Amino acid sequence: MRLRNKPWAREKISAHPQYIIPNPEEAKGHWHEIFGNNNPIHIEVGTGKGQFVTGMAKQNPDINYIGIEMYESVIVTALDRLIEAGLPNLKLLNVDGAELLNYFEKGEVGRVYLNFSDPWPKSRHAKRRLTYKTFLSLYESLMPEGGEVHFKTDNQGLFEFSLKSFSEYGMLLTFVSLDLHNSSFEGNVMTEYEEKFSAKGQRIYRSEARFQPRA
């Protein structure tokens, strides 16, 4: 993804601490207090311009959502969506998704969404893929028993890698679609990339995987 520099982005982010949480390490263990309720918390790692997480928050007002995006010039678009929608059940974090342990306690996150993540197609870069085992271990460390990872991509190679990674980690695959838009799945909220790729006739792959109790 080519990023257009937006020198004003940092100032805009700082001006809206009610939406993009400053010093999120201080929120660790206190997210229910920040949202003001005990509803489940779902996070999207790599939220991009925020179309998916905003749509999910609108669709599910009894779930709290946190969109995580490390690039300032991208998250400001998600911020604009959130300001316009005024959703009380959505917050944003301008942080690196690889450092989630700094921001969440064990059991605070019930579900992780990964949408159209960078496929890192070269084998030597496999460890950077967000469905690699070290990332799965990271997500598991944030969740109560039975936490889930929901994954969408247009990249067949990454999807095959991810299914294998989920299985080898010991996760239970509860949903797999090789052509989401021609399936019976209901309630799908599309990302910007998903709209773009599906308009070109590309397949969208989707899976849900659940962490299993450790023996």
Side-chain angles (χ1 to χ4, degrees):
M1 178 174 61
R2 180 176 296 175
L3 299 179
R4 183 165 62 90
N5 183 43
K6 299 176 181 177
W8 44 267
R10 183 169 298 180
E11 182 177 351
K12 183 169 184 176
I13 290 169
S14 298
H16 294 89
Q18 72 274 40
Y19 297 124
I20 300 184
I21 304 300
N23 305 313
E25 62 279 358
E26 296 176 6
K28 182 176 180 177
H30 302 286
W31 283 105
H32 287 300
E33 297 170 28
I34 289 172
F35 282 106
N37 58 56
N38 289 314
N39 292 338
I41 295 174
H42 296 176
I43 69 174
E44 183 187 18
V45 180
T47 208
K49 296 179 180 179
Q51 179 170 303
F52 174 83
V53 76
T54 303
M56 291 296 288
K58 289 179 181 177
Q59 189 179 93
N60 304 287
D62 293 331
I63 297 175
N64 297 321
Y65 291 89
I66 300 174
I68 296 165
E69 174 57 53
M70 67 185 295
Y71 296 109
E72 294 176 345
S73 59
V74 177
I75 201 170
V76 288
T77 302
L79 173 60
D80 286 337
R81 291 184 190 275
L82 178 49
I83 292 172
E84 181 179 358
L87 296 164
N89 62 326
L90 174 58
K91 304 296 182 185
L92 301 172
L93 297 186
N94 183 207
V95 298
D96 188 342
E99 300 174 354
L100 295 176
L101 282 175
N102 292 336
Y103 314 116
F104 300 99
E105 291 281 9
K106 172 70 175 177
E108 277 196 302
V109 176
R111 182 177 299 170
V112 172
Y113 288 97
L114 305 172
N115 294 311
F116 299 86
S117 309
D118 192 326
W120 293 103
K122 295 182 180 179
S123 296
R124 69 175 184 271
H125 292 152
K127 292 181 179 180
R128 299 185 182 184
R129 298 169 190 161
L130 294 184
T131 52
Y132 187 71
K133 61 184 179 182
T134 53
F135 280 101
L136 298 182
S137 178
L138 173 61
Y139 309 145
E140 185 181 27
S141 68
L142 310 177
M143 296 182 174
E145 188 174 301
E148 297 178 340
V149 175
H150 290 199
F151 175 62
K152 284 198 288 189
T153 183
D154 66 305
N155 188 292
Q156 182 178 349
L158 178 61
F159 192 66
E160 292 171 352
F161 169 88
S162 300
L163 293 183
K164 184 171 184 286
S165 183
F166 294 147
S167 180
E168 289 180 347
Y169 194 82
M171 300 178 74
L172 176 66
L173 287 163
T174 57
F175 178 89
V176 175
S177 176
L178 303 180
D179 191 356
L180 178 61
H181 291 186
N182 288 310
S183 74
S184 59
F185 183 80
E186 297 180 356
N188 182 52
V189 174
M190 288 202 285
T191 75
E192 296 90 348
Y193 279 123
E194 187 172 354
E195 288 183 342
K196 175 182 176 182
F197 296 142
S198 61
K200 294 179 179 180
Q202 294 178 230
R203 282 189 187 184
I204 304 301
Y205 303 89
R206 186 180 186 279
S207 67
E208 299 176 8
R210 180 182 304 146
F211 289 104
Q212 297 287 86
R214 295 291 179 179

